[in-house]
Amino acid sequence: MNMHRYEKIWLFLAASMLVIAVVYSGVQTFALGQGPPSGVGMIDPEKVEETAPFDNPGTFQISENEYEVVMILRAFSFEPNVIEIPAGATVHFKMTSTDVMHGFQVIGTNLNAMIMPGHIQEAKQTFKKPGEYLVVCNEYCGVGHQLMSMKIIVK
Amino acid sequence: MEAIEKQSSKISKLSGGNRLDSRLTLTYFSIAFVTLLIGGLLGLLQGLNRAGLLELPTNFNYYQVLTAHGILLVLVFSVLFVIAYFYSVLSHTMDGLFPVVRKMGWISLITMLVGVVLVITNVVMGNASVMYTFYPPMKASPWFYVGLFIVVAGIWIAAFGGFTQIAKWRKRHRGQHIPLLAFFAMGVFILLFFGSLGVTAEVLMLIPWAFGWTETINVMLSRTLFWSFGHTFVNIWYLTAVSLWYVVVPKVIGGRLFSDTLTRVVVILLVVSNIPGGFHHQIVDPGMSEGIKLTHALMSMVIGFPSLMTAFAMFFVFARVGKKKGAKGVFGWIKKMPWGDVRFLAPMIAMIFFIPGGAGGIAQNANQLNQVVHNSLWVVGHFHITVGVTAVLTFFGAMYWLIPYLSKRTLTPAMNKLGVIQTLIWTIGMVFMAGGMHTVGLLGAPRRTSYTTYGDSATAASWDPYLLLLAVGGVLLTIGLVLIVYIVFNLMFFAPKGTTEFPIAQGEDNASETPKWTERWSVWIIIMLFIVAFGYVFPLVDMIQNAPPGSPPFITW
């Protein structure tokens, strides 16, 4: 197959761009620990309320500057629906759904995850700037989907 | 060359096949554009609602409207258009459809319509406000899923009609390459069939569950099977648009084909690399390791490669035509292009929009960038410029010669001018709407959400000005919509009688022979299945073996 010289250069640059994108993504994921939310834990979606840790949802301090937030999502609310954490603390979220799929997006941050029944989703975020963060469900979950939101208050 | 062209057009006129084929494809196009009109008007209602300008009644609420909009445009309009276009291509380049193929075309159409009526009736009755992604464990009426299955069966009949046509033609033309546009048709029909196998498996699991014969459903498996189809269909419209760019646009501007071989290689690459691309819709899902996600980021990224080949080929063709017409410098060709010719203008704008569209696609494909925009209005903006401009505006551009060709009429200068106006209104409408969606999506506004202030949140209030752009864009697009539907039916029934050419660019005089290996579709299909297996076997086996307890059904609307 005959190719123009310019075309070879163009395709080399194009392929390099795509390779760089993937390599960079890999470095971010594995070397810098910035992978996408990928919790692999499982749970019986019909027994969420009686299974630890979801039998006791809430915010828990686990070390000096680290918190764990255990959260249940259901149509059309988050439980708990307000959490308070100090600025600069790292927060580990553990979330699941008791019914349909939901989304968990903290506006103003890169924290964005799918929450599915049967799966325990995990995500981690450090909130440096104090303020009130709006959290919305960004996966259509029914007629009250637009009402499903909560707040994270960073002090 | 001209003598041969004249002779072949004489044959197609004498063969008598064309009239019957035209009736088939014009019927498809008529239904497609009526669907577009209805689906588009539903889109306007959503834009107005989302901007807070219109309250929808409870018995036909935002989510019902959105479900119907998605299904009618993403599934029905595009599939009808793609099948009609490629059946016209097969008929034209192969001197008419074989009678059995024409019959399959009709059976496919009737089957799909039966399915669509079943699906849409359930949506209108409020039994299926589940969006066109119908993620379980949301449970629509079982008849909604049965309807979807019937639609897919219709698509398969059309795909097998295409295979039959090509196989029969090859038997009669041993040693010849199938015509380039038919080569694109082959690629598209392969993707229509293999790309919908996953979703069919999903629907066949949902039907007994929705009827209550099985108690629970594997949510993750369903979602993954859905997306093995979801993104493949995107690339089917895209491959259709690309066929027009490579083969039709050069002829319209008075040029030649870039390279027959390279074009065929692009088709093969898009076909073999396509299906695993759907995985990038699941980058922020639970239940999948980061390693699998990165593998799939790579596999989706591969689709970008043939697109970049296309970008080079197109600009090369423009530059070559410009040079022939006396253009100087690197960008001199821009002045030499027939901008006033809607058959060029529409696909050209479509191509220009593929630059931001494709770049946005590559961005969303990366693990971390995806997290920023996942399920936000950015995504909606992305597919409105890729599908709504890159694919659909190319389709519109084809209507100005394809409909008159089929209806044995001509495009008048007045209609051309109206077409230019339509193209510009459509483009400006999309700039407003998709531009607003991209921006507000970056700020965090979620997709698929009706008007809300989130309890008078200040953050949500800051989105309002951008959401108004959605309404403005929606109004402009509606004007564009009414115009294109008027133009299509005018060209079908009222334009002056005459003959219109089906523009197909020829290769350069010194072009090298296309190698025989491009024709080995059995090999390409095996490679495709191998790549699909590489992408899917491990995650699917894992999802089935390590599944959490299944989910019972929920009706949350």
Side-chain angles (χ1 to χ4, degrees):
Chain A
M1 196 164 62
N2 286 327
M3 269 205 241
H4 198 281
R5 192 167 59 93
Y6 287 150
E7 196 190 1
K8 283 183 189 157
I9 296 171
W10 165 263
L11 288 181
F12 175 76
L13 292 175
S16 314
M17 186 179 81
L18 298 176
V19 169
I20 289 168
V22 172
V23 169
Y24 189 60
S25 212
V27 169
Q28 277 189 315
T29 303
F30 298 107
L32 305 175
Q34 297 170 348
S38 308
V40 291
M42 300 199 191
I43 188 169
D44 185 338
E46 296 183 76
K47 295 187 181 126
V48 169
E49 277 100 342
E50 40 209 270
T51 312
F54 296 99
D55 53 350
N56 182 23
T59 313
F60 307 95
Q61 187 161 18
I62 47 175
S63 77
E64 198 190 327
N65 214 14
E66 268 185 300
Y67 289 79
E68 183 178 72
V69 174
V70 176
M71 197 176 280
I72 299 177
L73 285 81
R74 53 167 74 88
F76 305 100
S77 63
F78 295 85
E79 180 188 358
N81 69 0
V82 179
I83 63 170
E84 284 187 24
I85 41 140
T90 300
V91 186
H92 300 267
F93 292 92
K94 252 194 185 134
M95 300 170 278
T96 193
S97 161
T98 57
D99 42 45
V100 297
M101 286 190 201
H102 296 283
F104 178 80
Q105 184 177 8
V106 185
I107 310 301
T109 73
N110 289 354
L111 184 48
N112 195 342
M114 294 293 294
I115 316 299
M116 289 179 203
H119 294 268
I120 300 172
Q121 178 63 294
E122 286 177 49
K124 140 184 116 167
Q125 182 77 23
T126 305
F127 295 89
K128 289 184 187 133
K129 246 175 55 192
E132 208 179 277
Y133 291 81
L134 173 68
V135 182
V136 303
C137 169
N138 66 9
E139 181 60 78
Y140 166 70
C141 58
V143 73
H145 163 60
Q146 71 283 0
L147 304 171
M148 190 168 163
S149 68
M150 64 168 282
K151 273 178 207 162
I152 296 177
I153 298 165
V154 179
K155 285 192 190 159
Chain B
M1 196 60 96
E2 259 175 36
I4 298 171
E5 271 177 52
K6 238 179 224 164
Q7 203 182 352
S8 76
S9 76
K10 215 182 230 170
I11 291 169
S12 67
K13 256 182 223 155
L14 288 176
S15 71
N18 274 347
R19 200 173 45 87
L20 295 174
D21 296 349
S22 304
R23 193 179 297 160
L24 170 70
T25 46
L26 283 172
T27 309
Y28 266 86
F29 282 125
S30 308
I31 300 171
F33 278 87
V34 170
T35 307
L36 181 73
L37 185 64
I38 301 169
L41 290 173
L42 295 174
L44 175 68
L45 295 180
Q46 286 154 58
L48 295 177
N49 172 280
R50 188 69 198 260
L53 302 172
L54 173 84
E55 208 169 318
L56 286 163
T58 46
N59 57 359
F60 197 51
N61 67 40
Y62 183 84
Y63 300 112
Q64 256 168 301
V65 171
L66 182 51
T67 305
H69 171 78
I71 291 172
L72 288 178
L73 296 187
V74 171
L75 198 63
V76 185
F77 166 74
S78 61
V79 162
L80 288 174
F81 185 95
V82 166
I83 294 174
Y85 165 70
F86 280 116
Y87 269 57
S88 316
V89 159
L90 293 179
S91 167
H92 176 78
T93 59
M94 295 180 163
D95 283 327
L97 297 175
F98 291 93
V100 59
V101 176
R102 196 180 306 126
K103 202 176 276 171
M104 288 168 88
W106 283 111
I107 296 171
S108 161
L109 180 64
I110 294 162
T111 312
M112 285 191 285
L113 289 180
V114 169
V116 169
V117 168
L118 204 51
V119 167
I120 295 299
T121 313
N122 273 293
V123 174
V124 172
M125 284 164 59
N127 297 333
S129 298
V130 291
M131 307 287 147
Y132 91 99
T133 46
F134 54 90
Y135 295 142
M138 247 184 232
K139 185 193 81 102
S141 153
W143 299 105
F144 171 82
Y145 305 112
V146 171
L148 288 176
F149 180 76
I150 297 174
V151 173
V152 173
I155 294 173
W156 288 353
I157 296 169
F160 278 90
F163 298 145
T164 310
Q165 173 77 17
I166 291 165
K168 277 179 172 274
W169 185 90
R170 280 171 88 162
K171 218 177 252 170
R172 293 194 186 177
H173 299 79
R174 289 222 183 269
Q176 282 184 39
H177 283 281
I178 61 172
L180 187 53
L181 275 179
F183 195 86
F184 274 97
M186 185 72 188
V188 161
F189 288 128
I190 288 174
L191 285 178
L192 276 173
F193 175 66
F194 286 97
S196 54
L197 285 178
V199 78
T200 309
E202 181 200 358
V203 167
L204 289 179
M205 285 188 272
L206 290 176
I207 290 172
W209 172 75
F211 273 115
W213 305 331
T214 52
E215 280 178 12
T216 60
I217 192 87
N218 184 331
V219 173
M220 199 63 205
L221 179 66
S222 302
R223 182 172 157 81
T224 307
L225 289 174
F226 178 84
W227 282 116
S228 73
F229 139 92
H231 208 85
T232 306
F233 265 48
V234 170
N235 285 305
I236 285 171
W237 320 318
Y238 167 58
L239 190 53
T240 307
V242 168
S243 78
L244 289 149
W245 300 353
Y246 270 106
V247 186
V248 172
V249 171
K251 177 76 177 182
V252 168
I253 61 174
R256 298 286 184 96
L257 215 57
F258 172 65
S259 152
D260 187 84
T261 309
L262 211 105
T263 311
R264 287 173 201 252
V265 170
V266 166
V267 178
I268 293 167
L269 285 178
L270 279 171
V271 169
V272 302
S273 67
N274 222 323
I275 297 174
F279 240 108
H280 68 255
H281 289 256
Q282 298 178 266
I283 289 176
V284 298
D285 276 13
M288 262 187 282
S289 71
E290 289 172 341
I292 293 249
K293 287 180 182 177
L294 191 72
T295 313
H296 276 280
L298 174 68
M299 293 186 79
S300 326
M301 213 67 102
V302 173
I303 304 170
F305 189 72
S307 302
L308 289 158
M309 288 169 80
T310 302
F312 180 87
M314 290 300 104
F315 284 109
F316 189 86
V317 168
F318 295 148
R320 198 161 56 185
V321 170
K323 208 169 172 189
K324 216 168 65 188
K325 291 185 178 171
K328 292 195 179 67
V330 182
F331 297 106
W333 57 268
I334 295 175
K335 275 194 235 154
K336 301 286 176 190
M337 292 293 122
W339 295 100
D341 183 345
V342 68
R343 298 172 310 153
F344 167 75
L345 181 71
M348 183 65 187
I349 292 178
M351 286 182 219
I352 293 169
F353 273 72
F354 195 53
I355 300 170
I362 291 173
Q364 277 164 95
N365 202 13
N367 276 353
Q368 287 75 16
L369 293 172
N370 180 281
Q371 224 175 303
V372 179
V373 294
H374 176 81
N375 268 350
S376 74
L377 271 172
W378 158 288
V379 177
V380 187
H382 168 71
F383 68 67
H384 276 94
I385 59 166
T386 46
V387 174
V389 185
T390 301
V392 166
L393 206 50
T394 304
F395 296 173
F396 288 175
M399 295 293 88
Y400 298 99
W401 54 264
L402 184 53
I403 297 288
Y405 163 81
L406 293 169
S407 63
K408 303 213 190 308
R409 291 173 191 273
T410 51
L411 177 71
T412 57
M415 202 41 85
N416 179 62
K417 203 168 177 188
L418 189 63
V420 170
I421 294 169
Q422 194 279 338
T423 304
L424 296 177
I425 291 178
W426 188 265
T427 308
I428 296 165
M430 277 295 180
V431 167
F432 272 111
M433 195 176 77
M437 285 170 165
H438 272 97
T439 316
V440 80
L442 277 180
L443 299 175
R447 70 188 288 197
R448 293 177 159 180
T449 302
S450 73
Y451 176 70
T452 175
T453 59
Y454 285 116
D456 294 326
S457 142
T459 312
S462 71
W463 300 334
D464 283 352
Y466 301 99
L467 294 174
L468 267 180
L469 292 177
L470 268 61
V472 174
V475 170
L476 285 171
L477 286 166
T478 307
I479 299 170
L481 191 68
V482 171
L483 282 178
I484 190 68
V485 173
Y486 168 74
I487 289 167
V488 166
F489 284 102
N490 182 290
L491 292 174
M492 221 179 269
F493 299 112
F494 306 108
K497 294 254 179 208
T499 45
T500 298
E501 179 202 24
F502 194 122
I504 294 180
Q506 302 296 323
E508 292 285 335
D509 293 332
N510 59 356
S512 51
E513 184 106 358
T514 305
K516 283 270 172 272
W517 52 259
T518 53
E519 293 288 331
R520 292 207 191 103
W521 276 107
S522 51
V523 176
W524 310 134
I525 291 174
I526 290 167
I527 292 176
M528 176 187 78
L529 292 176
F530 182 77
I531 292 175
V532 171
F534 178 72
Y536 276 101
V537 168
F538 180 66
L540 285 185
V541 167
D542 186 54
M543 276 170 208
I544 294 165
Q545 282 188 337
N546 295 320
S551 281
F554 290 92
I555 299 173
T556 51
W557 63 89

